[in-house]
mmCIF file of all heavy atoms in Angstrom:
data_model
loop_
_atom_site.group_PDB
_atom_site.id
_atom_site.type_symbol
_atom_site.label_atom_id
_atom_site.label_comp_id
_atom_site.label_asym_id
_atom_site.label_seq_id
_atom_site.Cartn_x
_atom_site.Cartn_y
_atom_site.Cartn_z
ATOM 1 N N ALA R 1 -16.236 -67.700 -4.190
ATOM 2 C CA ALA R 1 -15.815 -66.414 -4.767
ATOM 3 C C ALA R 1 -16.984 -65.752 -5.495
ATOM 4 O O ALA R 1 -17.211 -64.545 -5.353
ATOM 5 C CB ALA R 1 -14.642 -66.608 -5.718
ATOM 6 N N PHE R 2 -17.740 -66.528 -6.285
ATOM 7 C CA PHE R 2 -18.933 -65.995 -6.954
ATOM 8 C C PHE R 2 -19.895 -65.402 -5.917
ATOM 9 O O PHE R 2 -20.382 -64.294 -6.053
ATOM 10 C CB PHE R 2 -19.678 -67.099 -7.716
ATOM 11 C CG PHE R 2 -19.196 -67.344 -9.116
ATOM 12 C CD1 PHE R 2 -18.858 -68.623 -9.540
ATOM 13 C CD2 PHE R 2 -19.096 -66.307 -10.021
ATOM 14 C CE1 PHE R 2 -18.408 -68.846 -10.838
ATOM 15 C CE2 PHE R 2 -18.650 -66.537 -11.315
ATOM 16 C CZ PHE R 2 -18.299 -67.806 -11.717
ATOM 17 N N LEU R 3 -20.139 -66.193 -4.869
ATOM 18 C CA LEU R 3 -21.077 -65.787 -3.818
ATOM 19 C C LEU R 3 -20.583 -64.529 -3.116
ATOM 20 O O LEU R 3 -21.320 -63.549 -2.943
ATOM 21 C CB LEU R 3 -21.228 -66.939 -2.804
ATOM 22 C CG LEU R 3 -22.020 -66.621 -1.534
ATOM 23 C CD1 LEU R 3 -23.487 -66.441 -1.867
ATOM 24 C CD2 LEU R 3 -21.860 -67.723 -0.491
ATOM 25 N N PHE R 4 -19.333 -64.579 -2.753
ATOM 26 C CA PHE R 4 -18.710 -63.532 -1.980
ATOM 27 C C PHE R 4 -18.756 -62.192 -2.707
ATOM 28 O O PHE R 4 -19.204 -61.181 -2.154
ATOM 29 C CB PHE R 4 -17.252 -63.969 -1.764
ATOM 30 C CG PHE R 4 -16.587 -63.270 -0.654
ATOM 31 C CD1 PHE R 4 -16.809 -63.697 0.638
ATOM 32 C CD2 PHE R 4 -15.774 -62.182 -0.887
ATOM 33 C CE1 PHE R 4 -16.205 -63.028 1.674
ATOM 34 C CE2 PHE R 4 -15.179 -61.524 0.137
ATOM 35 C CZ PHE R 4 -15.388 -61.950 1.427
ATOM 36 N N VAL R 5 -18.263 -62.211 -3.936
ATOM 37 C CA VAL R 5 -18.222 -60.983 -4.719
ATOM 38 C C VAL R 5 -19.635 -60.469 -4.960
ATOM 39 O O VAL R 5 -19.911 -59.274 -4.850
ATOM 40 C CB VAL R 5 -17.474 -61.211 -6.055
ATOM 41 C CG1 VAL R 5 -17.526 -59.955 -6.921
ATOM 42 C CG2 VAL R 5 -16.027 -61.597 -5.791
ATOM 43 N N ASP R 6 -20.554 -61.396 -5.240
ATOM 44 C CA ASP R 6 -21.938 -61.011 -5.496
ATOM 45 C C ASP R 6 -22.580 -60.355 -4.266
ATOM 46 O O ASP R 6 -23.228 -59.307 -4.362
ATOM 47 C CB ASP R 6 -22.744 -62.253 -5.920
ATOM 48 C CG ASP R 6 -24.060 -61.858 -6.614
ATOM 49 O OD1 ASP R 6 -24.132 -60.725 -7.108
ATOM 50 O OD2 ASP R 6 -24.987 -62.672 -6.668
ATOM 51 N N VAL R 7 -22.383 -60.961 -3.103
ATOM 52 C CA VAL R 7 -22.958 -60.434 -1.859
ATOM 53 C C VAL R 7 -22.461 -59.005 -1.604
ATOM 54 O O VAL R 7 -23.234 -58.097 -1.317
ATOM 55 C CB VAL R 7 -22.629 -61.354 -0.653
ATOM 56 C CG1 VAL R 7 -22.948 -60.647 0.659
ATOM 57 C CG2 VAL R 7 -23.431 -62.645 -0.726
ATOM 58 N N PHE R 8 -21.145 -58.807 -1.748
ATOM 59 C CA PHE R 8 -20.582 -57.489 -1.457
ATOM 60 C C PHE R 8 -20.913 -56.465 -2.524
ATOM 61 O O PHE R 8 -21.172 -55.313 -2.244
ATOM 62 C CB PHE R 8 -19.074 -57.590 -1.266
ATOM 63 C CG PHE R 8 -18.741 -58.207 0.035
ATOM 64 C CD1 PHE R 8 -18.183 -59.456 0.100
ATOM 65 C CD2 PHE R 8 -19.056 -57.575 1.225
ATOM 66 C CE1 PHE R 8 -17.939 -60.061 1.303
ATOM 67 C CE2 PHE R 8 -18.813 -58.176 2.435
ATOM 68 C CZ PHE R 8 -18.247 -59.413 2.478
ATOM 69 N N ASP R 9 -20.856 -56.934 -3.770
ATOM 70 C CA ASP R 9 -21.210 -56.088 -4.894
ATOM 71 C C ASP R 9 -22.616 -55.521 -4.710
ATOM 72 O O ASP R 9 -22.850 -54.319 -4.787
ATOM 73 C CB ASP R 9 -21.202 -56.959 -6.168
ATOM 74 C CG ASP R 9 -20.360 -56.340 -7.259
ATOM 75 O OD1 ASP R 9 -19.589 -55.456 -6.917
ATOM 76 O OD2 ASP R 9 -20.474 -56.720 -8.435
ATOM 77 N N ASN R 10 -23.512 -56.447 -4.456
ATOM 78 C CA ASN R 10 -24.910 -56.087 -4.290
ATOM 79 C C ASN R 10 -25.138 -55.175 -3.105
ATOM 80 O O ASN R 10 -25.828 -54.168 -3.194
ATOM 81 C CB ASN R 10 -25.761 -57.347 -4.077
ATOM 82 C CG ASN R 10 -26.115 -57.966 -5.384
ATOM 83 O OD1 ASN R 10 -26.486 -57.262 -6.293
ATOM 84 N ND2 ASN R 10 -26.012 -59.246 -5.507
ATOM 85 N N THR R 11 -24.585 -55.587 -1.992
ATOM 86 C CA THR R 11 -24.795 -54.824 -0.765
ATOM 87 C C THR R 11 -24.259 -53.410 -0.931
ATOM 88 O O THR R 11 -24.929 -52.427 -0.604
ATOM 89 C CB THR R 11 -24.120 -55.519 0.432
ATOM 90 O OG1 THR R 11 -24.511 -56.891 0.444
ATOM 91 C CG2 THR R 11 -24.521 -54.887 1.738
ATOM 92 N N GLY R 12 -23.039 -53.306 -1.467
ATOM 93 C CA GLY R 12 -22.408 -52.004 -1.671
ATOM 94 C C GLY R 12 -23.230 -51.126 -2.605
ATOM 95 O O GLY R 12 -23.480 -49.946 -2.318
ATOM 96 N N THR R 13 -23.684 -51.718 -3.713
ATOM 97 C CA THR R 13 -24.478 -50.963 -4.692
ATOM 98 C C THR R 13 -25.796 -50.505 -4.074
ATOM 99 O O THR R 13 -26.195 -49.344 -4.214
ATOM 100 C CB THR R 13 -24.749 -51.831 -5.945
ATOM 101 O OG1 THR R 13 -23.498 -52.206 -6.495
ATOM 102 C CG2 THR R 13 -25.570 -51.094 -6.974
ATOM 103 N N LEU R 14 -26.469 -51.425 -3.405
ATOM 104 C CA LEU R 14 -27.760 -51.089 -2.796
ATOM 105 C C LEU R 14 -27.616 -49.966 -1.771
ATOM 106 O O LEU R 14 -28.402 -49.026 -1.741
ATOM 107 C CB LEU R 14 -28.375 -52.331 -2.126
ATOM 108 C CG LEU R 14 -28.931 -53.382 -3.108
ATOM 109 C CD1 LEU R 14 -29.151 -54.700 -2.395
ATOM 110 C CD2 LEU R 14 -30.224 -52.916 -3.720
ATOM 111 N N LEU R 15 -26.581 -50.063 -0.942
ATOM 112 C CA LEU R 15 -26.362 -49.024 0.074
ATOM 113 C C LEU R 15 -26.086 -47.673 -0.590
ATOM 114 O O LEU R 15 -26.654 -46.648 -0.218
ATOM 115 C CB LEU R 15 -25.193 -49.406 0.991
ATOM 116 C CG LEU R 15 -25.454 -50.556 1.973
ATOM 117 C CD1 LEU R 15 -24.175 -51.002 2.648
ATOM 118 C CD2 LEU R 15 -26.469 -50.147 3.023
ATOM 119 N N GLY R 16 -25.218 -47.701 -1.597
ATOM 120 C CA GLY R 16 -24.805 -46.467 -2.258
ATOM 121 C C GLY R 16 -25.953 -45.800 -3.009
ATOM 122 O O GLY R 16 -26.208 -44.593 -2.863
ATOM 123 N N VAL R 17 -26.673 -46.585 -3.806
ATOM 124 C CA VAL R 17 -27.726 -46.025 -4.668
ATOM 125 C C VAL R 17 -28.947 -45.583 -3.847
ATOM 126 O O VAL R 17 -29.504 -44.521 -4.086
ATOM 127 C CB VAL R 17 -28.130 -47.026 -5.782
ATOM 128 C CG1 VAL R 17 -29.294 -46.480 -6.609
ATOM 129 C CG2 VAL R 17 -26.933 -47.313 -6.688
ATOM 130 N N THR R 18 -29.353 -46.406 -2.869
ATOM 131 C CA THR R 18 -30.519 -46.032 -2.056
ATOM 132 C C THR R 18 -30.240 -44.784 -1.206
ATOM 133 O O THR R 18 -31.105 -43.945 -0.999
ATOM 134 C CB THR R 18 -30.960 -47.182 -1.130
ATOM 135 O OG1 THR R 18 -29.804 -47.683 -0.449
ATOM 136 C CG2 THR R 18 -31.636 -48.291 -1.895
ATOM 137 N N LYS R 19 -28.999 -44.665 -0.756
ATOM 138 C CA LYS R 19 -28.595 -43.467 0.001
ATOM 139 C C LYS R 19 -28.728 -42.228 -0.894
ATOM 140 O O LYS R 19 -29.260 -41.195 -0.482
ATOM 141 C CB LYS R 19 -27.146 -43.632 0.480
ATOM 142 C CG LYS R 19 -26.717 -42.562 1.490
ATOM 143 C CD LYS R 19 -25.292 -42.855 1.960
ATOM 144 C CE LYS R 19 -24.783 -41.708 2.823
ATOM 145 N NZ LYS R 19 -23.358 -41.918 3.161
ATOM 146 N N ARG R 20 -28.259 -42.372 -2.123
ATOM 147 C CA ARG R 20 -28.322 -41.268 -3.084
ATOM 148 C C ARG R 20 -29.774 -40.904 -3.421
ATOM 149 O O ARG R 20 -30.094 -39.735 -3.650
ATOM 150 C CB ARG R 20 -27.574 -41.676 -4.358
ATOM 151 C CG ARG R 20 -27.267 -40.510 -5.262
ATOM 152 C CD ARG R 20 -26.112 -40.838 -6.145
ATOM 153 N NE ARG R 20 -25.867 -39.809 -7.123
ATOM 154 C CZ ARG R 20 -24.885 -39.874 -7.988
ATOM 155 N NH1 ARG R 20 -24.038 -40.853 -7.961
ATOM 156 N NH2 ARG R 20 -24.716 -38.911 -8.873
ATOM 157 N N ALA R 21 -30.632 -41.916 -3.443
ATOM 158 C CA ALA R 21 -32.042 -41.689 -3.788
ATOM 159 C C ALA R 21 -32.854 -41.213 -2.593
ATOM 160 O O ALA R 21 -34.052 -40.928 -2.720
ATOM 161 C CB ALA R 21 -32.647 -42.980 -4.340
ATOM 162 N N GLY R 22 -32.215 -41.140 -1.435
ATOM 163 C CA GLY R 22 -32.905 -40.702 -0.214
ATOM 164 C C GLY R 22 -33.845 -41.767 0.341
ATOM 165 O O GLY R 22 -34.820 -41.458 1.044
ATOM 166 N N LEU R 23 -33.567 -43.052 0.023
ATOM 167 C CA LEU R 23 -34.437 -44.133 0.480
ATOM 168 C C LEU R 23 -33.907 -44.805 1.748
ATOM 169 O O LEU R 23 -34.594 -45.602 2.369
ATOM 170 C CB LEU R 23 -34.589 -45.200 -0.636
ATOM 171 C CG LEU R 23 -35.206 -44.690 -1.964
ATOM 172 C CD1 LEU R 23 -35.036 -45.715 -3.068
ATOM 173 C CD2 LEU R 23 -36.664 -44.336 -1.785
ATOM 174 N N ALA R 24 -32.657 -44.484 2.111
ATOM 175 C CA ALA R 24 -32.070 -45.072 3.319
ATOM 176 C C ALA R 24 -32.445 -44.232 4.543
ATOM 177 O O ALA R 24 -32.744 -43.042 4.425
ATOM 178 C CB ALA R 24 -30.554 -45.155 3.161
#
């Protein structure tokens, strides 16, 4: 559960923030 939530949390945040920053 720790791993799972962390993987998705991170992935989701990275995708969202980098998209907003124009880095994707």
Side-chain angles (χ1 to χ4, degrees):
F2 273 128
L3 172 70
F4 199 81
V5 176
D6 198 22
V7 167
F8 286 111
D9 232 16
N10 276 316
T11 310
T13 301
L14 287 164
L15 288 170
V17 176
T18 49
K19 191 177 173 186
R20 195 157 174 179
L23 300 168

